[in-house]
Amino acid sequence: MSSGDTGLNAGAQTPAFQQEVDASGLTCPLPILRAKKALAQMVSGEVLRVVTTDRNAIRDFQAFSRQTGNALVAQHEADGHCVHYLQRR
C-alpha cells in the first residue's frame, strides 16, 4: 500500500465479523482503546468491526495494526463513517 493510499474501498465486500464496537462520536485515542479492549477478549482469527466518525481513525487503525500484529482486513468509508475490520492475531 502506498503512503497516499488509505486502503478505503466503499464498494468492497464486507468481511464477516464476530464482535462490533461503535466508537461513533469518539476521537483519538478512544476508538483504539475500545478496539484494544475488545480484541483482548477475542479468540485468535476472529474479526472485530469498529465504526468511527473521526477521520483521523483511518491512519490510527493502520498504525495500530502494524504495531500490534492484528491484521487490518478492510477499511470502508461512507456517509461520514469509517468502518475498520481487525483480525485478532
Side-chain angles (χ1 to χ4, degrees), residues 1 4 8 11 15 25 27 42 44 50-51 61-62 70-71 78 88:
M1 189 178 326
L8 299 181
T27 57
M42 296 174 70
S44 181
V50 184
V51 180
F61 275 93
Q62 291 169 357
N70 294 299
R88 175 78 161 97

Side-chain angles (χ1 to χ4, degrees), residues 8-85:
L8 299 181
N9 186 348
Q13 187 174 6
T14 303
F17 59 94
Q18 288 69 48
Q19 284 194 39
E20 180 175 29
V21 170
D22 186 356
S24 299
L26 301 177
T27 57
C28 185
L30 293 175
I32 294 292
L33 293 175
R34 294 212 176 161
K36 185 176 180 178
K37 183 177 179 181
L39 284 166
Q41 299 172 7
M42 296 174 70
V43 176
S44 181
E46 289 186 329
V47 176
L48 174 66
R49 178 181 193 257
V50 184
V51 180
T52 63
T53 51
D54 181 5
R55 182 81 176 129
N56 295 324
I58 295 165
R59 285 194 208 123
D60 292 343
F61 275 93
Q62 291 169 357
F64 176 74
S65 172
R66 283 191 304 273
Q67 292 169 359
T68 64
N70 294 299
L72 185 60
V73 179
Q75 287 182 302
H76 306 287
E77 184 177 27
D79 302 324
H81 288 82
C82 293
V83 184
H84 317 270
Y85 294 88

